[in-house]
Amino acid sequence: PGPVNLVRLQQVIDLVEAPQLLFPPYPASYPRQLVPGQSFFERLHQGDVLIHQPFERFDGVIDFLREAVADPQVLAIKQTIYRTGSDPQMMDLLREAVRRGKEVTAVVELKARFDEEANINWAEQLESVGAQVVYGVVGLKTHAKMLLVTRREGRVLKRYGHLSTGNYNPRTAKLYTDLSYLTCDARMTADMDTLFVHLASPSRLGRMNKLWAAPFLLQKKMLEKILSVGAAAEKGQPARIVAKMNSLTDPVLIQALISAGQKGAQIDLIIRGACMLPAGLSGKTDNIRVRSIIGRFLEHSRVFFFEAGDVQDIYLSSADWMTRNMTRRIELAWPVLDLELRQRIVDECLLAYLHDTRNAWTLGAD
């Protein structure tokens, strides 16, 4: 007895006039690294840009695409479409890009849960104006979030890319915590182009320089990082892992974490949803702590910090550590190399969550 589809109760929120029960509107700021009106192409030559949503507005990403569409030197735009929702902004911009003679490629995932209808509509509308619409690799969901712009600059072609832990959805960008990453790093953008070629053709995935893609190398590379931290712990060197994700259910990575912890590595996991690693078991997982932050926003960003001796690495990713993400989806993880951005990610996405005592609960051995 009782309601079957609890999601339908969300409609009640908009039907009841009870402002005292609602969060007040959150006044997000324009991305701090961006100046309204400044060219994104000029700005990215100065260094990579990080946008922390929803504290910073998704408008920065929309404005990047808008400038690319309007710029006559931009030749091609490629984008993955997973969970875009029904907001027309990005759709209108991509269609306008086609009308302006740019080559537009959209990789549309038709099996994005809850967004199937919206994505089919996107595909039909883009195809109708002449965009190249592809549906990825058979048997694999395209879950990676990337936008790649190719621009003519003098006699050379320059690529500019956007990678994200979240979706190209202006609505959820106000509700989910996510990290957007803008770069013109030649090797990273070349990797993005290599992956787009793989998604749009029957060719095998080419060699990648900086990005790790699932189901090809992502699990293996994450495993290597965990093992390196365990090896450092055995030598008595600094050994630390802090990982923030939606869910942890992949047995291979779970066993590696347990092994690293048993060797002395200190491991903190910030996991919003399902976690199959039992923390704090005497003699087994004493060095592993698991906490979950349940606050106003849905925690969606994936951040992975590894310290092994004198080497520290930070990766952002579209993938949780779940078997489906590692083996049955197209996913991406990428390194953050800029020292200032690395420190900002540590402060805003890791330390703040480890020190939160108001919105957190910790997983006990029981």
Side-chain angles (χ1 to χ4, degrees), residues 120-304:
I120 290 171
N121 291 337
W122 269 70
E124 290 177 343
Q125 290 188 50
L126 288 172
E127 282 184 326
S128 70
V129 295
Q132 180 186 11
V133 178
V134 296
Y135 301 100
V137 180
V138 175
L140 300 176
K141 266 191 177 183
T142 302
H143 193 249
K145 285 52 177 222
M146 53 181 183
L147 169 62
L148 184 65
V149 172
T150 301
R151 186 173 188 260
R152 183 193 295 112
E153 297 183 0
R155 294 188 176 184
V156 301
L157 297 180
K158 183 78 175 177
R159 298 189 186 101
Y160 299 83
H162 171 263
L163 297 160
S164 182
T165 66
N167 302 300
Y168 291 110
N169 187 322
R171 180 180 173 275
T172 59
K174 298 177 182 177
L175 306 173
Y176 295 11
T177 68
D178 272 307
L179 293 170
S180 277
Y181 199 81
L182 290 160
T183 183
C184 66
D185 180 282
R187 289 194 293 173
M188 288 180 69
T189 55
D191 285 351
M192 293 171 68
D193 191 59
T194 297
L195 186 53
F196 270 117
V197 169
H198 174 68
L199 292 172
S201 69
S203 64
R204 297 182 62 179
L205 181 68
R207 179 183 175 86
M208 305 278 271
N209 301 294
K210 283 189 175 183
L211 305 189
W212 298 342
F216 311 101
L217 285 175
L218 181 55
Q219 186 187 53
K220 177 185 176 184
K221 291 294 187 180
M222 288 295 179
L223 188 59
E224 288 176 0
K225 284 295 175 187
I226 298 171
L227 294 177
S228 70
V229 174
E234 281 188 309
K235 298 175 185 175
Q237 299 174 343
R240 184 96 162 93
I241 296 173
V242 184
K244 180 180 185 293
M245 65 193 94
N246 291 261
S247 299
L248 173 61
T249 61
D250 182 61
V252 174
L253 296 175
I254 288 173
Q255 289 297 335
L257 287 169
I258 291 173
S259 176
Q262 290 174 337
K263 292 174 182 175
Q266 295 298 315
I267 300 173
D268 281 284
L269 305 173
I270 306 163
I271 300 171
R272 172 175 59 85
C275 177
M276 288 170 53
L277 191 159
L281 291 179
S282 180
K284 294 184 179 180
T285 57
D286 308 80
N287 289 330
I288 301 179
R289 295 159 294 278
V290 177
R291 59 175 20 221
S292 184
I293 303 293
I294 309 295
R296 169 171 183 173
F297 301 121
L298 184 139
E299 294 301 328
H300 198 254
S301 52
R302 290 95 169 186
V303 182
F304 306 108

